[in-house]
Amino acid sequence: MKTYLPQIERRIKVRPNQTYGILNYDSDNAYPQRMLELVAASPTAKDCWNKRAKFIAGNGFECAELASKVINSKGLTLAKLLKAVATDKALFSGFGIHVNYNANYQICSAHYVRFEDIRMGNTDIAETAGQYAIYNDWGRKSWKHVMRSKIHFIDSYDPTPEVIDQQVIKAGGWDQYKGQLYYFNPEVDDYPLIEADSVWEDFETEAGIKTFNNREVTTGFLPSTMLFMQARREEADNSTPDNGPLGLSNAPSQLEKDLGAFQGAKSAQKIIVIEYEDEASKPEFKPYAIQNNDKLFETTERSVEARIIKGFSVPKELINADKASGLSNGGEKKEAIREFNDNTAPDRLELSEIFKEIFSHYHITLNPAENWNILPVPGNVADDSAGMSAGSSINQILLSDLPSVNKTAVLVHAYGFKQAEAEAMVAFNN
């Protein structure tokens, strides 16, 4: 008996790039850049990313005075570094910190490096093995080609004095030494997928729905229409050469210009005047029926949003908290915060251990207590006082002298109750 295993294509392909001495991050070497663009175009994905980053960074260091400690000449503080690496970890599951050493093998400065700018060195090339390449335009948004001269290769993190000595000698002395890069990557010898890679197609779908809605608005929700008119006879224009750049053979007619101006959210419902010489030249407009996709789009949008939230493992109450009723929202959100704090606790623990490891080699003592714990997000931001306050206001409405219809309308529109629930509450208190 044969067992059939479906062939699922790998999400990213890692291949050596001999030209730049790196391992490509997918076939086009731009996987992180693509994902960033997709997340930026998807409101739900962007919100989920922000929520994960907020919970991983938590409420800052338990040792409050650490937040303002400056760790480089550009004024970067530990609090800002924590927020930056937590943001990268929330999406990419990894991050980078660049450190410089003094001649006493002590870290004298630390800098944040964007995760999407980092590529692993090709292990088959002696010059780049054990190094990381840092470049700010792997996606080629600014330049057509990657500029080899602007790629900076940095040694991997290892605070051992003997290793630093070897790296300094290889670099040509302390004045040429570029320091080390702490590259956190859960895949070790491979590139990681983003947190919600399994649903990245839904990012694109949500962005497409947003574009569709925008197009409907900008065209004034006008129905699809076919225009029948006589074919235009091109008149000779001797003022411009036939092959000149200003050839007018495809220039729009005045009617086409007027029709274009008639469309759009600001122009819809206006009157357009069309002149014609005889019945034979009268333009004819014929609307044609298309499938009404409103309900289909609404259903798709909800399912896409749900999958994105699930892909990021964020409790839906933290994304759609406004959809819950006023009575239960406070308690639901508080429980969601507790749950998400538990889920992101390993991330905070990893960050605290890494900060302790790196800054234990700092040239001055930043943390005498050696307490690098990161506080979780406080649950009291969703205290039940909100629900209690709402309950008191609802009771006042139910006991007031307002007509029953008005009471029902307030409960439905202001507090999110369903029509039947509101009517039942009003009837019970009358």
Side-chain angles (χ1 to χ4, degrees):
M1 178 179 178
K2 292 184 178 180
T3 301
Y4 171 71
L5 296 176
Q7 297 300 311
I8 300 176
E9 187 177 352
R10 286 195 64 189
R11 294 298 243 186
I12 58 174
K13 297 178 180 178
V14 180
R15 296 286 186 272
N17 187 318
Q18 302 295 337
T19 303
Y20 307 125
I22 63 170
L23 297 178
N24 276 356
Y25 206 152
D26 208 1
S27 54
D28 63 349
N29 193 33
Y31 171 82
Q33 284 73 16
R34 288 202 315 276
M35 294 300 108
L36 281 172
E37 290 181 1
L38 286 171
V39 169
S42 168
T44 304
K46 188 69 178 294
D47 193 11
C48 290
W49 179 18
N50 289 337
K51 288 293 191 303
R52 282 198 66 84
K54 178 179 179 180
F55 274 75
I56 290 175
N59 207 33
F61 293 106
E62 191 173 296
C63 188
E65 57 268 23
L66 285 176
S68 58
K69 296 292 180 68
V70 178
I71 52 176
N72 65 32
S73 59
K74 295 184 178 181
L76 180 68
T77 62
L78 285 171
K80 291 179 180 178
L81 180 62
L82 173 61
K83 183 177 180 180
V85 298
T87 300
D88 277 356
K89 197 175 193 301
L91 181 63
F92 298 112
S93 301
F95 57 88
I97 300 175
H98 175 230
V99 296
N100 284 311
Y101 291 89
N102 59 26
N104 294 321
Y105 311 108
Q106 297 172 321
I107 295 175
C108 56
S109 66
H111 298 78
Y112 160 70
V113 181
R114 297 189 308 178
F115 186 83
E116 64 267 25
D117 292 346
I118 305 170
R119 296 294 183 271
M120 294 188 289
N122 188 350
T123 54
D124 294 332
I125 301 176
E127 291 77 12
T128 60
Q131 292 188 321
Y132 297 98
I134 299 175
Y135 182 68
N136 62 2
D137 193 27
W138 293 115
R140 299 183 295 280
K141 293 189 68 175
S142 301
W143 304 95
K144 279 188 175 182
H145 304 287
V146 174
M147 304 178 72
R148 181 69 171 81
S149 60
K150 292 189 176 182
I151 300 176
H152 298 284
F153 282 90
I154 309 294
D155 291 304
S156 59
Y157 176 80
D158 189 335
T160 308
E162 292 77 14
V163 173
I164 297 174
D165 271 335
Q166 293 173 3
Q167 293 174 350
V168 170
I169 293 171
K170 182 180 177 181
W174 282 100
D175 57 334
Q176 300 293 322
Y177 186 49
K178 298 178 182 179
Q180 298 177 342
L181 180 72
Y182 189 102
Y183 181 63
F184 181 85
N185 175 10
E187 298 299 327
V188 186
D189 295 325
D190 202 352
Y191 288 116
L193 299 172
I194 66 165
E195 177 67 28
D197 179 85
S198 60
V199 295
W200 73 258
E201 293 90 346
D202 289 308
F203 305 169
E204 196 170 21
T205 302
E206 188 174 59
I209 293 173
K210 183 178 63 174
T211 302
F212 174 83
N213 291 337
N214 176 260
R215 187 166 61 246
E216 288 292 293
V217 171
T218 53
T219 56
F221 296 96
L222 294 176
S224 298
T225 306
M226 291 185 289
L227 169 62
F228 295 88
M229 57 186 295
Q230 280 189 326
R232 287 190 286 132
R233 185 180 63 185
E234 305 297 342
E235 301 292 342
D237 185 357
N238 297 325
S239 63
T240 305
D242 292 340
N243 59 353
L246 300 179
L248 302 177
S249 60
N250 292 320
S253 67
Q254 187 59 46
L255 174 59
E256 291 169 334
K257 292 179 181 178
D258 291 341
L259 289 174
F262 185 63
Q263 298 186 68
K266 295 182 180 179
S267 302
Q269 310 302 325
K270 288 188 177 182
I271 298 175
I272 183 172
V273 177
I274 300 176
E275 298 179 351
Y276 58 94
E277 296 178 357
D278 53 58
E279 287 295 325
S281 62
K282 178 181 178 180
E284 183 181 3
F285 295 89
K286 286 189 175 181
Y288 61 92
I290 60 173
Q291 182 180 357
N292 187 345
N293 291 321
D294 288 351
K295 294 295 182 182
L296 181 62
F297 269 84
E298 183 179 342
T299 303
T300 302
E301 191 169 18
R302 286 199 301 267
S303 64
V304 163
E305 180 183 283
R307 282 195 298 271
I308 293 174
I309 293 171
K310 187 175 182 180
F312 276 97
S313 302
V314 178
K316 62 181 184 297
E317 292 82 5
L318 299 180
I319 303 297
N320 294 324
D322 57 316
K323 295 183 180 179
S325 69
L327 286 174
S328 60
N329 185 38
E332 290 176 353
K333 189 173 181 181
K334 189 173 183 178
E335 177 59 25
I337 290 175
R338 185 200 63 76
E339 176 188 340
F340 204 30
N341 272 330
D342 288 345
N343 292 345
T344 53
D347 296 289
R348 289 191 297 277
L349 179 60
E350 283 178 331
L351 288 185
S352 64
E353 290 176 347
I354 290 166
F355 271 70
K356 180 178 181 179
E357 158 59 28
I358 292 175
F359 292 104
S360 64
H361 301 283
Y362 205 65
H363 67 106
I364 60 173
T365 302
L366 293 173
N367 189 356
E370 290 296 318
N371 178 9
W372 292 93
N373 293 337
I374 299 170
L375 294 170
V377 171
N380 58 11
V381 298
D383 209 344
D384 287 337
S385 58
M388 293 171 61
S389 176
S392 176
S393 300
I394 290 171
N395 285 332
Q396 291 180 15
I397 293 170
L398 293 173
L399 296 174
S400 68
D401 296 329
L402 287 172
S404 297
V405 175
N406 292 11
K407 292 180 182 180
T408 302
V410 172
L411 293 176
V412 170
H413 298 292
Y415 292 96
F417 288 99
K418 295 179 180 178
Q419 184 73 23
E421 294 173 340
E423 291 175 351
M425 292 173 66
V426 172
F428 181 78
N429 286 273
N430 281 344

